[in-house]
Amino acid sequence: MPRTRSRRVAVNTVSALLAAAVAAVAMRPGLLTDHLPDGLPFLRTEAVDTLPLPAASERPSAAPAAEPFHRGPTRAEPFRGSPALRWADGAAGITLPGARATGGLDRAQVERGLRATRAFLIASNLDPATLRGERPQAALDLIDPSQRELLDDLDAALAKPSKKHDPVTMFSRFDPAELVPAGAVVKTRGRMTYEAGEEPGSVQIHADYTFVYPVTRARVDADQVERTIVRRLLTVAVNDPARYVVTPGKLGIVEYGQHIYNSSCVRFDGFLHPLFPDDAPDSELSGPAEDPYDRSTPGTGPQAESCAPVTRT
């Protein structure tokens, strides 16, 4: 059965704000339909809409409908049976809203903040080196050096992962000795917004993106493909350096949260660990089932620690 783990994380920001982030991690059960013969007439997929979706302009009102013909992923079709089939490929799914003067910052300052936030999301969740477990230096370099406590926590998580200090709360990482990508594409969907900060000369940027990672075991004879799904929620502050002690061009992390589906609830070695159909469950399930593709909720509320089922991957 799939699972969900939740926990709460606090972050000190450059403007001395304290924020909490929620992590939910879910695992996937073996699906009996994954290995049904492709030739069965009721499983043919000609009717599945594969046209790319337009960029998301607002939060959806409901989860995407289930695919009419449910078949699991393969090496040739790693997103088969998933709503992500119609999502954008990688960084193309991280589009920016039009920049305008806001909160005492001019248009150019807001645009630089938006571009830096996009660069941070790419470096944290899409960069091939980050995905294969290397140090995400490009992402770390975008965080304002004055956020020493946060940077120290991330350094500790990367150097010696643990349940308390786990780098997957910020970075999407897989152990290359255990898993390799099933193809070169990560599917991405979400949106970015911004608003004036509470104080003059400040803008807060809110990013809410879901990334779908198809992977297979790192063996030459591996043919099973599984998907890990990560929803990242990030708020950053862009402050006017003429008014605040900040580093121009860097981001102040206000809060961050994550919901991670189809990954172990009990392994804290700094990597994501999807469950394959022939894997034994690694923990007991608890709590209501979650849909990894449901982006209709804010996803920011606190949750008790649990390991609950998911409805699909």
Side-chain angles (χ1 to χ4, degrees), residues 15 34 43 106 114 190 226 266 313:
S15 54
D34 282 358
L43 290 179
D106 61 32
L114 292 170
E226 280 300 327
V266 297
T313 61

Side-chain angles (χ1 to χ4, degrees), residues 85 207 220 280:
L85 181 66
V220 294

Side-chain angles (χ1 to χ4, degrees), residues 6-265:
S6 303
R7 64 185 156 131
R8 195 174 178 87
V9 180
V11 180
N12 289 318
T13 72
V14 68
S15 54
L17 296 173
L18 188 66
V22 177
V25 179
M27 291 190 66
R28 174 190 189 276
L31 296 173
L32 295 177
T33 55
D34 282 358
H35 303 293
L36 288 173
D38 290 351
L40 294 178
F42 57 88
L43 290 179
R44 288 179 185 153
T45 58
E46 287 85 347
V48 175
D49 189 353
T50 59
L51 293 176
L53 292 172
S57 59
E58 58 186 22
R59 185 185 302 143
S61 59
E67 296 297 324
F69 308 102
H70 186 82
R71 292 188 297 169
T74 67
R75 279 184 172 272
E77 299 178 87
F79 300 100
R80 187 175 70 168
S82 164
L85 181 66
R86 301 181 62 198
W87 291 8
D89 293 355
I94 307 178
T95 58
L96 301 181
R100 65 182 187 281
T102 306
L105 300 184
D106 61 32
R107 188 194 66 80
Q109 289 174 309
V110 173
E111 184 172 6
R112 283 195 293 271
L114 292 170
R115 292 185 178 278
T117 303
R118 182 177 187 269
F120 183 83
L121 290 167
I122 293 171
S124 300
N125 300 283
L126 295 171
D127 181 79
T130 299
L131 295 182
R132 61 177 176 261
E134 297 181 18
R135 182 177 174 83
Q137 194 60 51
L140 294 168
D141 287 345
L142 286 166
I143 300 174
D144 196 300
S146 64
Q147 290 197 276
R148 194 65 261 162
E149 183 177 354
L150 172 60
L151 288 168
D152 287 346
D153 284 345
L154 293 174
D155 280 338
L158 291 163
K160 192 175 182 180
S162 65
K163 185 175 182 179
K164 182 179 179 181
H165 296 287
D166 192 343
V168 300
T169 60
M170 183 74 87
F171 311 112
S172 295
R173 313 171 76 239
F174 297 89
D175 183 352
E178 177 184 328
L179 299 165
V180 294
V185 175
V186 173
K187 289 290 188 176
T188 306
R189 186 157 184 83
R191 65 188 186 121
M192 196 181 303
T193 61
Y194 61 94
E195 62 185 352
E198 294 183 0
E199 301 295 332
S202 178
V203 166
Q204 285 198 352
I205 298 173
H206 307 283
D208 179 355
Y209 288 89
T210 299
F211 303 90
V212 183
Y213 304 97
V215 294
T216 189
R217 290 188 176 99
R219 301 197 311 255
V220 294
D221 61 340
D223 59 355
Q224 291 181 334
V225 175
E226 280 300 327
R227 294 184 288 252
T228 289
I229 303 160
V230 182
R231 183 179 179 185
R232 300 283 183 190
L233 300 112
L234 175 71
T235 297
V236 303
V238 180
N239 297 317
D240 186 352
R243 301 189 186 204
Y244 299 92
V245 181
V246 295
T247 306
K250 304 297 182 181
L251 299 172
I253 307 297
V254 176
E255 61 182 353
Y256 65 98
Q258 57 286 322
H259 298 270
I260 305 174
Y261 305 95
N262 192 19
S263 185
S264 171
C265 294

